[in-house]
Amino acid sequence: MRGNSRSSSVAALVVVLFNSSLVEAAVTGDEIIRKMQESFGKHKTFSVHFEKDFYWALLDTKQESRNGRIFTRRTGDFRVELEKGDLIVGSSAGIWSFSSQNRQVVVSDYDGEFRTPWEILVDYADTYRPIAVAEVDLMGRPSYELTLLPAASTSQVARLKVWVDRKKWHLLKVERVEVNDNVTTYRLTGHKTNKKLDDSLFRYRVPEGLQVIDRREVVPTDER
């Protein structure tokens, strides 16, 4: 009887532990997206290093990686710095995109055709639907791997995958596969939150000698 009792206790313990792990893994894709967005949105400032890769399926070629850094703050201002001098600065007055190769600055409305880092990296709850969640280890960090499909059949994206840190809900990686099998991958490291960022990071003054193409519908009076 004691042996049976001990076996029953062990079996019960295994069931409890097994069920506990199932509960932990039962987080839904929608919950992961919500928690990631809440984590991103609650910080006064946020900065991160990123590496972007692009695979061109037609030529079976991987383009040179692009590295840079993103700075954002709660007001919606942002700055994207690329290693070869390209720069994107966004504020309520508009978005300035500087191309070092073309020696050109394109200015657009904040809510125009240009996509902000928020829209590219974390704002896809309305345009994608999660279909699978897995617990994985990524870059030494326990993470969720979330697979999403576009909500609209007309989308040029066939599949989206995101990896989210399970402890701090930081976005670690994004993989976007297009219908033509091109693949864009972002890897994010060095996350910093609530660090003081100088206002000058989010202001852009056009240097002399650069061509400026202003696509804004209304130009602020202090810039005329």
Side-chain angles (χ1 to χ4, degrees):
M1 293 292 293
R2 287 184 179 178
N4 290 338
S5 177
R6 186 179 296 112
S7 298
S8 299
S9 298
V10 171
L13 178 61
V14 169
V15 169
V16 169
L17 292 176
F18 180 71
N19 286 338
S20 296
S21 64
L22 283 180
V23 170
E24 183 180 15
V27 60
T28 67
D30 289 331
E31 289 173 331
I32 293 172
I33 294 174
R34 177 177 56 80
K35 288 181 178 292
M36 178 183 64
Q37 291 179 335
E38 288 176 351
S39 173
F40 185 92
K42 73 180 180 181
H43 301 304
K44 293 181 179 179
T45 66
F46 181 89
S47 62
V48 67
H49 290 278
F50 71 90
E51 181 178 356
K52 178 183 176 182
D53 293 330
F54 179 75
Y55 171 72
W56 194 354
L58 181 63
L59 300 180
D60 191 21
T61 301
K62 182 178 177 181
Q63 293 185 353
E64 180 181 0
S65 297
R66 303 202 73 184
N67 300 284
R69 194 170 183 184
I70 298 173
F71 302 86
T72 69
R73 58 183 180 183
R74 190 180 293 175
T75 54
D77 301 335
F78 68 89
R79 180 186 183 93
V80 180
E81 298 176 351
L82 294 167
E83 80 280 12
K84 293 186 178 180
D86 290 356
L87 178 67
I88 304 169
V89 177
S91 69
S92 59
I95 297 177
W96 283 258
S97 179
F98 167 64
S99 169
S100 58
Q101 181 178 356
N102 298 333
R103 302 296 297 168
Q104 182 183 86
V105 178
V106 177
V107 191
S108 57
D109 289 318
Y110 190 93
D111 294 322
E113 60 185 28
F114 194 96
R115 299 182 69 204
T116 68
W118 167 269
E119 292 171 321
I120 293 174
L121 297 176
V122 299
D123 191 18
Y124 34 70
D126 295 331
T127 52
Y128 291 88
R129 55 184 178 84
I131 61 168
V133 176
E135 294 183 7
V136 299
D137 184 89
L138 181 69
M139 296 183 284
R141 300 167 72 167
S143 309
Y144 289 115
E145 178 187 285
L146 177 59
T147 303
L148 306 101
L149 294 180
S153 58
T154 56
S155 173
Q156 295 300 308
V157 180
R159 182 178 69 256
L160 188 74
K161 275 191 175 184
V162 297
W163 287 258
V164 181
D165 179 271
R166 288 172 55 192
K167 182 178 181 180
K168 296 184 177 181
W169 300 101
H170 286 164
L171 182 67
L172 302 178
K173 183 178 176 181
V174 179
E175 180 184 86
R176 186 175 67 238
V177 181
E178 300 176 12
V179 292
N180 58 8
D181 293 327
N182 290 344
V183 182
T184 303
T185 305
Y186 294 89
R187 284 180 291 276
L188 290 81
T189 58
H191 302 70
K192 294 183 179 180
T193 60
N194 296 323
K195 303 294 183 181
K196 182 174 176 57
L197 299 177
D198 195 275
D199 289 344
S200 63
L201 283 173
F202 307 103
R203 290 195 297 263
Y204 186 73
R205 299 301 179 191
V206 180
E208 290 187 15
L210 295 185
Q211 179 187 13
V212 179
I213 301 175
D214 199 327
R215 295 176 177 169
R216 288 175 294 180
E217 293 186 4
V218 178
V219 180
T221 55
D222 60 351
E223 293 186 34
R224 295 183 186 276

